[in-house]
Amino acid sequence: MLAQTARLLGQGTRANSARLFTQSTRVLQQQQPAAAASVSRSSLFKRAGKAFLKLTLFTGLAGTAYVSYQLYREKNPAPQQPQAATFPNGSPRKTLVILGSGWGAVSLLKNLDTTLYNVVVVSPRNYFLFTPLLPSTPVGTIELKSIVEPVRSIARRAPGEVHYYEAEALDVDPVNKTVKIKSVNTEHEYQLDMKYDYLVNGVGAQPTTFGIPGVVENSSFLKEISDAQEIRMKIMTSIEKAASLAPTDPERSRLLSFVVVGGGPTGVEFAAELRDYVDQDLAKWMPELSKEINVTLVEALPNILNMFDKSLVDYAQDLFKQDRIDLKLKTMVKNVDKTHITAKCGDDLTKVPYGVLVWATGNAPREVSKNLMEKLEEQNSRRGLLIDEKLQLIGAQGSIFALGDCTFYPGLFPTAQVAHQEGEYLAKVFKKLHKIDQTKWELAQDNTNDPKAQSKLNRLESQIQPFHYEHMGALAYIGSEKAIADLAVGESKYRSAGSFTFLFWKSAYLAMCMSFRNRILIAMDWTKVYFLGRDSSV
């Protein structure tokens, strides 16, 4: 009985063992594909990681090599073809005089084949100023040296020799084709009448006060480097003066009131930069005083940034309210004294105290443009030089061109984008004009009325098409590391706002810079502010 029981138990144990072995085998067989898949995925991730690192390394090396090459080219320009009275075939080389060193003039100079003309640049400012970032300079977000490019550097990179005069154009004689210039160097003063065959007026515009009393005497404009330096000095001086006064002193409140007049991009971006400086930097070093600072933006129209879509304007205005920028819309300045502006909103007159007043609205023609307008009967506009669809000055018989802020033509606004495209267009025009002039000279030498030659001349003249402005959109920084963009790509419209748009705003402005040197300096300034903050010293 006991033996039989033991035999039965042994058989059961063997059966259980066999069953357990079978189950274990099945589990292992099921786990093996999972383990293999896990190993496969791990291997795939390793390969992808290595490929990504290699791509990153290659991209970094390629980018470094490209930037180094561009910097080397900028620092080591190629030899230039010297100016001469004639071309090798004996035809006269015409003189092209460019007035100004702004967006239009420099865009023309960079794209022009300077071997086709004796090119002369006349400007009292011996550098090109990247004006879109000028509002960032008074508070130290961008250094002034980072947004300037010497005219001589730009001219030296041209294929043909370019002569530059650091002088101001005083008067233009469209009959005798001369321009009177005067040096700005007081230690070496000179005046001379410069002959030209073609003249390009790109002198820009000056701020307008709309005849409002006290604006010139008491406010600061924001068009030149000297303006930015003056505004910075006034801001820092007002803050230091206010810090020495008691919190209850009304003079302290006035000194800490900063007023910006003008709701265009310049006024809006400066107000935004000023608010950023107060909130991000001054609040750390002078926390109590920074809370008392008031930034006010005054605009005569119902809203700011009229060139943008209504949704973007609303976004910007809402952000200004959140950032404690006081918006005074539909408010027209009537008078300015040393401590207050008098403004009219509806039927009410109000006085707004200020410690610093920045005037960022309106353009008016410069004196040289006014003088030229008076000499031509066809020039009957006070807004600027009247030009035709080919940027020729009306009434100047095709020898004078004008571009940029000094001009007036329906549909073309005084923006850097317009002036830049006009400069590129004129560079192509002058290349075609050279062919036309060469053909005319050849016809005069042959002294014949060959119909084929005349047909060729007519064909060349018909190739000069009217200027067509392609609007690429508008960008504006509105503070708190946010921006708005109203872009146009073909017939499509793209609108965006926020922090991502701010990164796009930065990228777009870097791409627009005239040199890699400027791009690197501006990027370094942004990096420095991000890690170290803005400098609060004068």
Side-chain angles (χ1 to χ4, degrees), residues 366-382:
R366 297 190 182 275
E367 288 301 319
V368 63
S369 298
K370 292 179 182 178
N371 295 338
L372 185 54
M373 290 161 65
E374 292 175 356
K375 294 180 179 181
L376 300 173
E377 295 181 359
E378 295 85 350
Q379 296 289 322
N380 54 7
S381 172
R382 295 182 179 180

Side-chain angles (χ1 to χ4, degrees), residues 474-492:
L475 299 168
Y477 178 62
I478 55 176
S480 299
E481 297 187 349
K482 292 181 174 61
I484 57 175
D486 198 346
L487 307 178
V489 181
E491 296 183 357
S492 302

